[in-house]
Amino acid sequence: MGMQNIASLNRASATSIHTTRELIHDEFFCHRHRRSDKHFTRRRKLPFANVMVMLLQKTVRSIQLHLHDFFEALAAAGRSATASSWCEARLKLKHTAFIELNQRAILEVAYGGEKDFAVRLWKGHRLVGLDSSLIRLPNELALGQEFGWVECSNQQGAAGRYPQARLSALTDVLNRLVIDTLFVPWQQGERDLALAHLPHLQPEDLVLLDRGYAGYELFARFLKAGRHFVCRCSRFSFGAVNRLFEQNQEGQSAVVELRPSNGSVGACRAAGLPERLRVRLVTVRLSTGELEVLATDLLDEALYPTAEFGELYHQRWGIETYYGLVKSRLDLENFTGLSAEAIRQDLHATIFLSNLESILIQPAQGQLQQAAAQRKHPAQVNHAVSFHALKSQIIQLLLSAQPIRQVLPKLERLFLDNPVSARPGRKVPRRKQSAWRSYRYQRNTRKSVF
């Protein structure tokens, strides 16, 4: 099949790795993201770069076993650090290091014109999924005070509580790259978070929103900022939407005028928002027979035919599968620390690692697509394999003196091992599980990758 031959070094992958290597070893980068001017000044077993890579290589094993393997991979026999020294070292690091690393080594490479990274678009638009997910936190008082508590109860009454946060991710669903994240108290509303993400959107982005975001003020702010959206609307969200639900006909498209409710007119005026909006409503029939009504600012029927909105909105599912990936395969909720800063370190390290994997697997994915004619079903990179390969090789990738041109081909060959078949249109019945059963499955049953 020819897939085992890496023809040439992919420039985007090499640039991402080169930039990451330079930044984590850069003195000024270290100074920007240390908690005190006294931190990371002396030569120790766990310098700044090692701490960052240890966090990226997060594992379900004990800290001490992880440290032994880490130092063995560094070829530093007899120099393994203790678990307590690791805990002290990570306290010196700010989670913002991973945010800057993601911006400079991932997003600027992917969207900065690097010709070897083929950015997938829809009619010239970057499809951006926006949704939030609840994250269960360790049962620590400080975390509950910062992010909020969830009260539990049963037939006998109150049954304890646990801390919980909300993660909101602005995600390029066609390229599986997270553009911006917010990690906030779980009771904070999704519409407020959507407005906080607004500055990170580009003029040609098309944001795909679930029905919880449908609202006049949010639509008005998107239009005022010149940003595009497609939003699923619930019944009774607007009068025009409700009439389409009552007609129950698919394939309809109508440009309508929306007005704020009587109770929100004052708020719209105070915010300088228009009191009338023109949006297009499109009806789509799901395979289940359910009618879906979508609201969008894409008014031109010729450029954006009604028949294409069903497949377009289906792309929003990419944000749902992304949360499944980081919660299960990358075991996000199995945090390696108990403080709020440790939680944020794990979160942003996971976001960076998932974005890095999206950059690195693209050449292998391209080879699998070229060989698709020889298979019954098209193949795609197995993410369980690719994440394990990336974590296994990350020390050689980021900390060793080994040239990038030697490390990347080995990694790409590992990505090509054991691909999985993609079966578009396959439907698996979804069973509604209790929160406890879902949590138990993610923690104790589903297999993580490292």
Side-chain angles (χ1 to χ4, degrees):
M1 294 173 64
M3 292 190 302
Q4 296 300 322
N5 298 318
I6 307 299
S8 62
L9 191 64
N10 180 268
R11 190 181 305 171
S13 298
T15 302
S16 272
I17 296 304
H18 177 73
T19 305
T20 303
R21 279 185 174 187
E22 283 199 329
L23 286 174
I24 65 175
H25 290 97
D26 181 71
E27 181 181 0
F28 297 105
F29 182 80
C30 171
H31 291 175
R32 284 195 298 275
H33 302 292
R34 61 184 181 179
R35 301 189 66 82
S36 167
D37 292 342
K38 298 180 181 179
H39 292 158
F40 298 115
T41 55
R42 289 186 284 178
R43 188 174 182 85
R44 293 183 179 274
K45 294 181 180 179
L46 288 167
F48 182 85
N50 289 18
V51 172
M52 291 201 67
V53 174
M54 272 279 292
L55 287 167
L56 289 172
Q57 205 188 31
K58 174 185 169 183
T59 175
V60 295
R61 291 171 295 168
S62 71
I63 294 175
Q64 195 61 67
L65 289 178
H66 187 196
L67 286 165
H68 288 332
D69 290 346
F70 186 86
F71 279 90
E72 182 178 354
L74 282 175
R79 294 190 65 248
S80 179
T82 63
S84 60
S85 64
W86 158 249
C87 294
E88 291 177 3
R90 75 177 299 179
L91 285 175
K92 302 173 183 178
L93 176 71
K94 293 181 181 178
H95 71 276
T96 52
F98 295 105
I99 298 176
E100 182 178 346
L101 201 60
N102 187 59
Q103 179 63 38
R104 296 179 60 182
I106 302 294
L107 301 182
E108 290 180 9
V109 171
Y111 303 125
E114 184 63 70
K115 61 182 180 181
D116 277 1
F117 185 79
V119 179
R120 297 176 60 198
L121 303 172
W122 181 83
K123 295 183 180 292
H125 297 285
R126 183 172 66 172
L127 296 187
V128 179
L130 177 57
D131 205 351
S132 71
S133 182
L134 297 175
I135 306 296
R136 183 160 178 164
L137 304 177
N139 198 1
E140 294 291 318
L141 179 62
L143 295 177
Q145 291 172 339
E146 180 168 350
F147 294 102
W149 296 96
V150 175
E151 303 292 341
C152 303
S153 61
N154 54 28
Q155 294 87 341
Q156 283 74 43
R161 60 181 184 173
Y162 61 88
Q164 184 171 262
R166 184 179 296 276
L167 171 62
S168 181
L170 192 68
T171 306
D172 177 349
V173 293
L174 292 182
N175 301 289
R176 217 198 71 207
L177 291 172
V178 176
I179 302 164
D180 183 48
T181 56
L182 295 170
F183 195 61
V184 299
W186 73 273
Q187 292 178 319
Q188 190 163 337
E190 290 183 317
R191 294 181 189 177
D192 292 337
L193 297 177
L195 297 179
H197 285 300
L198 201 53
H200 297 274
L201 293 171
Q202 300 299 317
E204 293 307 313
D205 286 345
L206 177 57
V207 185
L208 307 178
L209 301 162
D210 204 1
R211 53 190 166 191
Y213 292 90
Y216 183 91
E217 182 181 352
L218 185 68
F219 293 171
R221 288 190 181 275
F222 266 70
L223 293 175
K224 185 178 180 179
R227 298 299 183 260
H228 305 293
F229 65 89
V230 175
C231 182
R232 182 181 180 184
C233 296
S234 60
R235 192 182 293 266
F236 305 119
S237 54
F238 298 99
V241 170
N242 193 41
R243 288 191 289 272
L244 288 174
F245 273 114
E246 291 175 348
Q247 294 170 13
N248 196 27
Q249 295 180 8
E250 64 181 297
Q252 289 190 301
S253 176
V255 177
V256 301
E257 187 177 83
L258 300 181
R259 298 186 180 186
S261 63
N262 293 334
S264 61
V265 171
C268 289
R269 288 175 180 170
L273 299 176
E275 296 183 33
R276 295 184 180 184
L277 296 178
R278 291 181 74 241
V279 301
R280 179 182 173 192
L281 299 180
V282 176
T283 59
V284 174
R285 182 77 65 186
L286 302 179
S287 59
T288 59
E290 180 185 358
L291 189 75
E292 203 170 62
V293 179
L294 306 175
T296 181
D297 69 314
L298 305 177
L299 306 182
D300 193 329
E301 171 72 30
L303 286 177
Y304 308 103
T306 300
E308 296 184 5
F309 273 82
E311 182 60 30
L312 166 63
Y313 190 72
H314 178 70
Q315 298 297 332
R316 195 202 70 83
W317 190 245
I319 183 67
E320 303 286 355
T321 57
Y322 178 77
Y323 282 128
L325 178 75
V326 296
K327 282 186 170 183
S328 57
R329 291 300 188 196
L330 297 181
D331 210 12
L332 175 61
E333 291 177 312
N334 184 18
F335 294 104
T336 62
L338 301 178
S339 69
E341 182 60 25
I343 299 298
R344 291 187 171 96
Q345 287 174 358
D346 283 345
L347 168 67
H348 291 287
T350 299
I351 298 297
F352 172 78
L353 189 78
S354 70
N355 278 358
L356 181 62
E357 188 254 7
S358 295
I359 295 281
L360 297 183
I361 67 170
Q362 195 181 74
Q365 186 61 50
Q367 292 190 54
L368 290 173
Q369 290 174 351
Q370 291 175 9
Q374 303 177 40
R375 295 174 57 99
K376 179 179 179 181
H377 299 289
Q380 64 185 26
V381 172
N382 185 331
H383 293 299
V385 172
S386 61
F387 276 114
H388 184 271
L390 179 54
K391 288 196 173 193
S392 298
Q393 300 296 317
I394 201 164
I395 294 174
Q396 286 70 34
L397 206 59
L398 301 181
L399 294 180
S400 75
Q402 192 173 358
I404 295 173
R405 65 179 180 272
Q406 295 178 11
V407 183
L408 275 182
K410 177 183 178 182
L411 200 56
E412 290 184 4
R413 283 190 289 271
L414 291 171
F415 292 160
L416 290 168
D417 286 344
N418 309 115
V420 294
S421 297
R423 296 177 174 85
R426 184 177 66 165
K427 301 289 184 182
V428 179
R430 299 176 65 190
R431 294 186 303 169
K432 181 65 176 178
Q433 291 185 326
S434 68
W436 167 247
R437 285 185 179 274
S438 177
Y439 179 68
R440 182 181 181 279
Y441 173 75
Q442 298 295 343
R443 289 297 300 272
N444 301 325
T445 307
R446 187 68 180 265
K447 300 298 187 295
S448 55
V449 298
F450 194 72

